[in-house]
Amino acid sequence: MTLETFLLGLLVFWALLYLLGRLFHLDKYGLEIQPAYLAYKFKRFNEGIKSLTEKHPRFWRTFWSGGIVCAVGSMIYGIYWFVMNLYSLFYKPEVASPVLPFIPGVAFDLRWLPHILIALSISAILHELAHGMAACADKISLKSFGLFLMLFIFGAFTEPEEEEFKKARTLAKVRVYSAGPSVNLATALIIFLLITNLYGPSSGTLILQTYPQGPLEMAGLTPGDVIQGFNYVPINNVTDLYGCLVKVRPNESVVLTVLYKNGTEGKVTIKTMESPENKTRGFIGLSGVFNYYPSRLSVIPIDRLIGSYHLYWFYWWTLMISLSLAMINMLPIYPFDGGGFLK
């Protein structure tokens, strides 16, 4: 899918949604529909959060007090990273982290969009849910809790009763402000532990897509198979494979060691063709590849493309987004949580 197709589909979706909202008066069902914005408030969910925290109020207040320490750590590291990156932009631009608008096809490849949207939704909902639970633990009522969709980004929001929040103790306010970032930090830690424990080290290259009528497809290899050897040289990652491919010429026979989707291993001899980009180089018909991280959950029957590619990227993006939310939200700047926390 190209960027133009994505933007056109997005435009049609929001135009139809806005039209349906006006024709059927969906606002009476709690849906707020504006151009490129959709929100829904859950009134019953507020009672659910309240009843959950009222059962063990002392535990929850202690729990969210511990979140203050996590939030302070996120603030310190966030300020450090921001200052160092700003310094690098002026004096060492080659090592500075790029700052790009969150636009598909610009900031990231479109193939990652589903993983990013799911990860962003989970991180945002957990963030706002934590704010709501911390408020209820300190007897601060919630005006509303809801979900929203802005352009293509899912999120959530929590609105405590303003007067009750203003009259609350300083410690209670600090707990509420720090709850969201601390949960994001905890989420990032949990995902990191999942990645390091659920996957082994890279041991091959996972085929994501093959070139139509290319050597790999003609040899019967399909997405989900793993290349683990090239002319009897072990292949552990994409870099190893590309290092072998640059030495191959057209019409040359090569032997691949393959781990098939069904778990069996074998060797396949293929004949290279001319590369579409460079006719002096050999081409095996590979148009999409990723490092193969074997899942340690072999007892669970799951497709290799889902387990070793889609799930891996979902974990990775959830880790990055949760960590980023924890740091950015604790920057001591209005309207971030860090601004209210510092005040």
Side-chain angles (χ1 to χ4, degrees), residues 83-342:
V83 171
M84 293 305 295
N85 197 55
L86 192 63
Y87 172 82
S88 298
L89 283 172
F90 285 103
Y91 298 102
K92 298 179 181 179
E94 68 279 1
V95 299
S97 298
V99 179
L100 299 171
F102 191 74
I103 300 175
V106 177
F108 54 86
D109 197 290
L110 281 175
R111 71 177 186 272
W112 291 333
L113 184 60
H115 310 90
I116 291 174
L117 291 182
I118 295 173
L120 187 59
S121 301
I122 291 173
S123 301
I125 290 171
L126 289 176
H127 180 99
E128 294 299 326
L129 183 60
H131 282 313
M133 292 182 68
C136 288
D138 276 293
K139 308 298 182 183
I140 302 172
S141 302
L142 293 183
K143 186 187 299 182
S144 64
F145 175 86
L147 303 176
F148 71 84
L149 174 64
M150 184 181 294
L151 282 178
F152 55 88
I153 301 173
F154 288 93
F157 57 88
T158 299
E159 295 177 308
E161 291 290 349
E162 292 185 14
E163 291 303 318
E164 292 185 25
F165 186 77
K166 289 178 181 178
K167 295 176 182 177
R169 296 178 303 158
T170 300
L171 180 59
K173 295 177 185 177
V174 169
R175 278 198 283 247
V176 173
Y177 279 122
S178 62
S182 64
V183 164
N184 288 141
L185 191 62
T187 302
L189 177 61
I190 291 170
I191 295 297
F192 174 77
L193 293 175
L194 281 175
I195 292 176
T196 54
N197 286 279
L198 292 183
Y199 293 95
S202 179
S203 60
T205 55
L206 179 66
I207 298 175
L208 302 179
Q209 191 174 357
T210 57
Y211 194 80
Q213 300 301 310
L216 287 180
E217 186 176 281
M218 298 297 288
L221 272 69
T222 58
D225 294 331
V226 179
I227 300 174
Q228 295 187 313
F230 192 97
N231 281 341
Y232 305 100
V233 176
I235 300 294
N236 292 317
N237 49 52
V238 175
T239 303
D240 290 346
L241 180 61
Y242 285 163
C244 293
L245 287 175
V246 295
K247 303 174 185 177
V248 178
R249 298 291 175 260
N251 300 313
E252 184 178 330
S253 294
V254 297
V255 180
L256 302 179
T257 304
V258 180
L259 175 63
Y260 293 99
K261 285 184 290 188
N262 60 10
T264 61
E265 296 183 9
K267 287 182 171 53
V268 179
T269 301
I270 63 173
K271 194 171 186 179
T272 63
M273 58 187 292
E274 289 183 353
S275 171
E277 299 174 355
N278 188 340
K279 293 186 177 181
T280 64
R281 287 187 178 179
F283 183 62
I284 64 173
L286 192 63
S287 56
V289 69
F290 181 65
N291 288 349
Y292 172 58
Y293 298 100
S295 173
R296 292 194 171 104
L297 292 177
S298 56
V299 293
I300 301 177
I302 188 170
D303 183 82
R304 188 178 288 163
L305 277 177
I306 295 175
S308 297
Y309 179 72
H310 292 294
L311 275 179
Y312 185 90
W313 276 114
F314 162 71
Y315 290 142
W316 192 90
W317 279 111
T318 304
L319 170 63
M320 291 296 104
I321 290 173
S322 296
L323 194 59
S324 298
L325 282 177
M327 290 192 302
I328 293 172
N329 264 294
M330 282 309 296
L331 288 175
I333 306 170
Y334 179 82
F336 296 145
D337 293 327
F341 182 97
L342 193 64

Side-chain angles (χ1 to χ4, degrees), residues 12-49:
V12 172
F13 168 78
W14 280 111
L16 288 175
L17 188 63
Y18 186 76
L19 182 63
L20 289 172
R22 288 291 178 267
L23 286 175
F24 296 100
H25 303 286
L26 297 179
D27 54 323
K28 63 184 179 182
Y29 299 105
L31 284 170
E32 180 187 350
I33 303 176
Q34 300 294 337
Y37 180 80
L38 169 67
Y40 182 74
K41 296 180 180 180
F42 298 87
K43 294 183 179 179
R44 291 184 179 180
F45 200 74
N46 297 352
E47 296 300 319
I49 297 175

